[in-house]
Each structure stands twice: as structure tokens, then as C-alpha cells.
Amino acid sequence: MVALDVDGTVVDRDGVLGRPMADALARVVAAGVPVVLATGRAWHSTRDLVELLGLPKGPTVCSNGAVIVSYPPQEIVQAVTFDPREVIERVESFAPGTLIAVEEIGVGFRLNDHFPEGDLTGELVVQSAEELGALPVTRVILRDPRRSVEEFITLAQHLGLQGVTYFVGWSAWLDIAPEGVNKATALAQVAAGLGIAAEDVLAAGDGRNDIEMLRWAGRGVALPEAPPEVQAAADAVSPPFAEGGLVPELLHWFG
């Protein structure tokens, strides 16, 4: 099985899929090997890429492992949720002004105020903090364009959150998922369902939310643009994305 992060791994930071990557993945598919996208993206913003790649029916891991979707046709195989009220209350108390959003699977997000243009996609509905916390959710997103990544890491530590998993993004962005949920836990479930052992999985990624996946897979490959702790979790580091990134690795096995 080939398990791939999306942004910065399969597509560039603008979401553009290059022809060499598309061709390399077509070789993997032609070899009869399952390709599973494992992304922090919500399903509604991942579906178009699944279609563009022409992936056969199979699972996609979204929302950092909280959501598994089989497509086509669309079927929500798993949606792990948690009570977001404590997170929201702590953030509003400790870091007032932080933008907060909760995911609506396949639809969009409910949020306490508008995020920077392009940050979120799908249907966006502004609600009060009380309304955001009224229902269990698969993910809470915290965003503050005024803060640095380092400040956001400090914020995550100071929140003292229990019963959740958090991932710090590239910008002042924090994804909060149910406790014990990450890309690796979801991929382990997917692989087991396909009768595939972890040692027979090639995984690749470039973000802090890929660390568990890279450690879990039989071969984990990080992009050189990844933070040092992500590269340290991998078995190998690919060429830079602009110089082919994961393409040589895929062609090595499937060329």
C-alpha cells in the first residue's frame, strides 16, 4: 500500500498536481497497489483530487485520521468525534481573539469568525462559541494570523488539553483531533481491512501530522521541506518537491 500526505507531498502549496507525480501514481495504480491519501484536509476538499488522480474505489483518510471515506460512491466508513466544549472554553479564556472552526463532514465548517481568505473551503457558517460546542465534532481548528508557529506551539502546551490529540501546522494553525487519533491509527485500520501489514506500506509526508504515519509504515519518506522532527521520524528523505519530491521514490518501486 502507498499512503500519501497531500499538500506539499502530492500537490504543491497552491494545490497544483504536477504531471510527473500524476504519472508516477498512475504506475502505482496500474501495478494493482492501493493508493491511500492521508491528509489533514476535510473530505470535501479532498474528493476532487481523488477524482483527478483517477484512483479506483477505495478508502481515503481525512481530517488527520478522524475520518475515513470510501469513494466512489461516497461512504463515511469512520468518523471519530469528541466533545469540543473544553477546547473552545480554554482557548477563549487563554487566547481570546483566536479563530475557531469545527468541521462538518463533507460540507464545510462552522466557525466563530471569518478565517483568512483561502484557509477554509466549503460551506462556512459563523456561530457563537456556545453553538460551536453544542455537538460532538471530528476536529477543531485554531488559527491566529497574528501569532508565529512558535507562539502557537507554546499556546498548545499552555492549553493543557486532555483527551485530545493536536497537530501544529505550517502557519499559526492548530488541528485538534480526538485522543489517540492520527493518520497512522486510521491507516492501520485501512491496511488491516485490506490484509496488508504495516511493513508492506510506503508512506510519505512533510508535516508534523505525518510523524506517526512515517514511523508506523514499513518505509517512511519525508520531504526535505519538512521540519527536522518529521525528517527524523522517516527512514529516508526525498529530493526537494521542486526537483521531483517523491516521484523518484515511486519510480524506484513501480517504474
Side-chain angles (χ1 to χ4, degrees):
M1 186 171 85
V2 173
L4 302 174
D5 169 54
V6 170
D7 295 289
T9 302
V10 173
V11 301
D12 66 18
R13 289 292 165 188
D14 295 319
V16 177
L17 173 67
R19 175 49 56 189
M21 175 61 73
D23 289 345
L25 288 176
R27 290 176 180 267
V28 181
V29 172
V33 173
V35 174
V36 180
L37 300 183
T39 178
R41 288 189 186 193
W43 166 242
H44 70 267
S45 60
T46 308
R47 180 173 50 231
D48 287 349
L49 180 59
V50 172
E51 295 175 348
L52 182 62
L53 290 171
L55 299 182
K57 179 179 180 178
T60 298
V61 172
C62 298
S63 307
N64 291 315
V67 177
I68 301 175
V69 179
S70 177
Y71 183 81
Q74 178 177 308
E75 177 189 356
I76 308 299
V77 176
Q78 170 178 283
V80 184
T81 62
F82 69 104
D83 186 339
R85 287 177 295 180
E86 181 184 3
V87 171
I88 294 170
E89 290 168 2
R90 283 180 178 267
V91 170
E92 295 228 303
S93 174
F94 184 78
T98 299
L99 299 173
I100 305 171
V102 297
E103 183 180 336
E104 292 287 301
I105 300 175
V107 178
F109 297 89
R110 295 181 288 119
L111 52 158
N112 67 341
D113 204 347
H114 295 289
F115 277 52
E117 184 70 27
D119 270 10
L120 300 177
T121 61
E123 181 179 306
L124 306 177
V125 178
V126 176
Q127 295 183 338
S128 67
E130 291 73 21
E131 290 173 310
L132 294 183
L135 298 171
V137 299
T138 54
R139 167 166 70 157
V140 175
I141 298 171
L142 306 182
R143 179 81 160 92
D144 189 345
R146 303 167 299 178
R147 298 176 186 263
S148 67
V149 173
E150 291 72 24
E151 287 175 318
F152 238 51
I153 292 174
T154 301
L155 169 63
Q157 294 168 340
H158 276 86
L159 286 175
L161 300 174
Q162 302 295 318
V164 298
T165 303
Y166 67 83
F167 308 96
V168 179
W170 285 98
S171 57
W173 179 293
L174 190 65
D175 264 327
I176 300 175
E179 183 176 23
V181 170
N182 54 58
K183 292 183 182 183
T185 60
L187 287 169
Q189 180 175 328
V190 168
L194 295 173
I196 296 171
E199 54 263 33
D200 294 323
V201 177
L202 166 65
D206 71 328
R208 295 180 182 90
N209 58 344
D210 296 315
I211 290 175
E212 294 85 358
M213 173 179 76
L214 296 175
R215 289 174 175 162
W216 167 79
R219 181 166 173 81
V221 180
L223 277 291
E225 293 86 352
E229 61 267 37
V230 179
Q231 296 186 42
D235 300 296
V237 177
S238 75
F241 185 88
E243 297 175 17
L246 190 64
V247 171
E249 176 78 20
L250 293 175
L251 294 182
H252 172 74
W253 300 106
F254 302 100

